[in-house]
Amino acid sequence: MSRLLSSFRKYDGAELHAKIPAENWGVTKDDLVTLKRRVWRAVRKGEIVPTDRDQFDPKDSVFGPAIYTINEQYIKPVTAKA
């Protein structure tokens, strides 16, 4: 995970919110494709694992972890270290 975290650029969130108009805040299709690729990489490496609430099959690339699992095991840790 540390290598993954080092691949993210760090920005000052407050500064960005001040500079970028609200109509430009959003998620693009490319953002979602990138997230999917990073999530599956984390699944393959065992960084995102099935839980009692989400018993996804790590070998199934069609139906993967629920967004709750992705949020708890991937997005929150990455955000906390940013």
Side-chain angles (χ1 to χ4, degrees):
M1 176 94 49
S2 63
R3 194 168 135 206
L4 168 72
L5 293 174
S6 67
S7 71
F8 288 95
R9 286 181 272 175
K10 296 184 180 182
Y11 297 100
D12 180 333
E15 180 182 343
L16 288 175
H17 280 266
K19 289 182 175 179
I20 300 171
E23 60 268 12
N24 291 338
W25 300 352
V27 177
T28 67
K29 184 175 181 180
D30 286 342
D31 293 334
L32 293 174
V33 168
T34 298
L35 177 62
K36 181 179 180 181
R37 186 176 58 248
R38 289 180 176 180
V39 164
W40 281 113
R41 188 176 305 138
V43 168
R44 284 192 309 273
K45 292 169 82 175
E47 296 170 350
I48 298 176
V49 297
T51 66
D52 288 340
R53 288 180 76 174
D54 182 11
Q55 298 177 7
F56 71 93
D57 179 356
K59 295 176 184 151
D60 183 351
S61 63
V62 176
F63 297 101
I67 193 64
Y68 177 86
T69 302
I70 295 167
N71 192 41
E72 290 297 316
Q73 296 184 29
Y74 184 79
I75 295 172
K76 284 183 179 181
V78 168
T79 302
K81 294 189 187 251

